[in-house]
């Protein structure tokens, strides 16, 4: 299983908390491939990078549900399954950023509520339990 964490994906680790305030939980910050704000994922959040065959099966289901994705050539090289607190599961599509170099920096292109896809319960069982 492809767990996101110690992988050298070029994701910036952001630690917070200074002074009298309690320290914020460490986070991974993923920049937007567009001009939007970055996505911030807690290091303690459950998350996994899908294996290629699972990613491909999910993309088939996504493009069946959203045909415009297929028309736009939606084929992300990486999809993250993320349990965004408190209860929502998301898929986040990732790809090399425009300024990516040998560091392998990724940015996100889109996120999808995971519960709408039939493949999700099996992936959650496979990766998180």
């Amino acid at each position: 299983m492809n767990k996101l964490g110690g992988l050298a994906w070029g994701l910036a680790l952001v630690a917070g908390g200074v002074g009298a305030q309690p320290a914020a939980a460490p986070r991974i910050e993923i920049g937007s491939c567009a001009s939007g704000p970055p996505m911030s994922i807690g290091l303690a959040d459950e998350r996994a990078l899908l294996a290629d065959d699972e990613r491909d099966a999910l993309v088939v289901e996504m493009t069946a549900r959203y045909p415009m994705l297929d028309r736009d050539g939606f084929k992300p090289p990486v999809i993250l399954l993320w349990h965004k607190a408190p209860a929502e599961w998301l898929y986040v599509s990732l790809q090399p950023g425009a300024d990516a170099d040998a560091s392998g920096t990724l940015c996100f292109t889109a996120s999808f509520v995971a519960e709408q896809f039939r493949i999700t319960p099996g992936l959650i069982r496979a990766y998180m339990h």
Side-chain angles (χ1 to χ4, degrees):
M1 284 182 253
N2 236 346
K3 296 284 182 178
L4 178 64
L7 298 175
W9 287 109
L11 301 175
L13 172 60
V14 178
V18 176
Q21 303 243 347
R27 307 199 61 82
I28 296 169
E29 191 170 276
I30 304 172
S32 170
C33 294
S35 60
M39 183 175 291
S40 183
I41 299 173
L43 283 180
D45 294 353
E46 292 181 286
R47 64 208 181 280
L49 297 174
L50 300 185
D52 291 349
D53 59 331
E54 294 161 332
R55 179 206 57 219
D56 294 345
L58 176 62
V59 168
V60 167
E61 200 173 330
M62 288 175 160
T63 55
R65 184 173 189 88
Y66 301 107
M68 75 291 263
L69 293 174
D70 198 34
R71 286 193 305 267
D72 292 340
F74 181 74
K75 301 213 182 321
V78 179
I79 294 182
L80 172 70
L81 173 59
W82 171 34
H83 190 198
K84 183 179 180 183
E88 186 173 53
W89 286 93
L90 296 175
Y91 291 112
V92 181
S93 63
L94 304 169
Q95 68 180 35
D99 59 350
D101 52 18
S103 69
T105 302
L106 296 176
C107 59
F108 73 92
T109 58
S111 63
F112 302 85
V113 174
E115 70 183 22
Q116 64 187 317
F117 302 106
R118 290 180 310 227
I119 195 172
T120 299
L123 292 176
I124 291 171
R125 278 192 304 277
Y127 283 97
M128 304 302 158
H129 300 277

